[in-house]
Amino acid sequence: MASSAAVPFWRAAGMTYITYSNICANLVRKCLKEPYKAESMNREKVHFSLSKWADGKPQKPVLRSDAPEVF
Amino acid sequence: MLRQASRLISRSATAASSKSVTARAFSTELPSTIDSTFVESWKKVAPNMDPPQTPSSFMKPRPSTASSIPTKLTVNFVLPYASELSGKEVDMVIIPATTGQMGVLPGHVPTIAELKPGIMSVHEGTDIKKYFVSSGFAFLHANSVADIIAVEAVPLENIDASQVQKGLAEFTQKLASASTDLEKAEAQIGVEVHSAMNAALSG
């Protein structure tokens, strides 16, 4: 059997729908006029800390943040 | 400890039976899904307890399709951070599906459509409201309710034409110089989104 329905180009390149959708949304946000652009960038700020675990203990966390440093 | 067991069981049974009395109000549609052999064997083993509920007995029955086509389409347009339109009754919406601009009227055949970057317009009488949608999905139900979900949707006036032109040039150039599949895909997405915005602004 041949492969089922033609896949979209981004799926063929190994990208998932969520990645595609987020890229589209980011591009649209970058093209907004000024007050709206600042609002949307503010809204989409992320702050998270990721740590991998080994031997039942968390390793050094990776901090990814758009929030300004508080010192 | 076991002296309390029968009291606890009958208490939970009465609680369950009072709950199931109200739950049974919804089960007019469900007699076919209740497994009678299971219910019988349950009653043999635990006669004081009501048979367990299944997920389908908690679900609201699917809204019935009206026999005549309603005059208005009910639109729910939501974004992750806001509910743009909620239960709004309109005459028509035109959504940018991947298969092309799709016009949705009341009584539209139930459809799930993936949206591409493009203009979505909501028509109410002579009023037309346009949004540029970055991507998303549209669920059209049999009862003339349309659920449209998008990640970003902006009114056309909020888009800056010069930035769109710059972005289009930048991504066209990236597409030409891209090497890996992933880079090509990203550049292609950039070109598509910017050309759609361009067309939206000039169209």
Side-chain angles (χ1 to χ4, degrees):
Chain A
M1 281 276 242
S3 69
S4 55
V7 288
F9 64 91
W10 39 267
R11 174 83 60 185
M15 202 187 283
T16 63
Y17 179 80
I18 295 194
T19 319
Y20 165 71
S21 190
N22 285 334
I23 292 180
C24 290
N26 278 322
L27 294 174
V28 171
R29 271 180 225 128
K30 287 208 203 102
C31 289
L32 293 177
K33 288 189 184 147
E34 226 351 276
Y36 307 107
K37 189 171 183 180
E39 276 170 23
S40 68
M41 289 310 177
N42 216 356
R43 189 205 317 137
E44 298 296 325
K45 284 201 175 140
V46 290
H47 175 99
F48 61 83
S49 150
L50 183 75
S51 32
K52 298 207 173 169
W53 287 63
D55 290 332
K57 289 192 204 44
Q59 306 303 304
K60 179 144 193 342
V62 170
L63 191 66
R64 158 87 193 277
S65 175
D66 291 327
E69 284 300 322
V70 189
F71 297 104
Chain B
M1 177 177 65
L2 287 176
R3 255 189 318 147
Q4 311 296 340
S6 55
R7 178 173 65 83
L8 292 171
I9 287 179
S10 53
R11 186 181 57 176
S12 70
T14 46
S17 62
S18 60
K19 211 172 46 177
S20 61
V21 162
T22 47
R24 276 192 200 119
F26 289 128
S27 61
T28 47
E29 288 209 11
L30 301 171
S32 52
T33 56
I34 295 179
D35 188 351
S36 55
T37 41
F38 173 74
V39 170
E40 277 164 27
S41 13
W42 178 276
K43 289 218 180 295
K44 280 197 208 109
V45 174
N48 292 329
M49 286 171 68
D50 271 313
Q53 311 264 18
T54 53
S56 40
S57 64
F58 290 102
M59 280 166 52
K60 288 203 279 254
R62 198 191 285 255
S64 55
T65 313
S67 46
S68 68
I69 297 178
T71 48
K72 293 284 210 180
L73 183 67
T74 314
V75 175
N76 297 314
F77 180 30
V78 292
L79 304 171
Y81 52 87
S83 173
E84 263 306 312
L85 301 171
S86 175
K88 183 146 195 272
E89 305 237 322
V90 298
D91 297 320
M92 170 169 79
V93 292
I94 301 186
I95 55 177
T98 44
T99 50
Q101 296 286 112
M102 182 190 288
V104 182
L105 293 161
H108 196 283
V109 61
T111 311
I112 300 182
E114 184 191 336
L115 305 180
K116 65 176 182 218
I119 300 181
M120 186 187 99
S121 47
V122 180
H123 299 242
E124 168 64 11
T126 47
D127 238 4
I128 305 183
K129 189 118 196 278
K130 291 193 185 177
Y131 302 89
F132 184 84
V133 162
S134 70
S135 64
F137 286 93
F139 299 87
L140 312 173
H141 303 287
N143 55 352
S144 291
V145 169
D147 295 321
I148 304 172
I149 55 176
V151 182
E152 269 298 338
V154 296
L156 297 179
E157 308 82 60
N158 297 7
I159 305 182
D160 188 348
S162 57
Q163 298 208 16
V164 175
Q165 301 289 7
K166 241 187 359 168
L168 185 54
E170 182 194 330
F171 280 97
T172 323
Q173 200 259 327
K174 274 196 195 157
L175 185 56
S177 66
S179 44
T180 67
D181 257 347
L182 194 56
E183 272 176 40
K184 278 197 207 122
E186 286 177 5
Q188 177 80 23
I189 296 175
V191 167
E192 267 185 23
V193 175
H194 285 94
S195 348
M197 278 196 278
N198 219 354
L201 289 174
S202 44

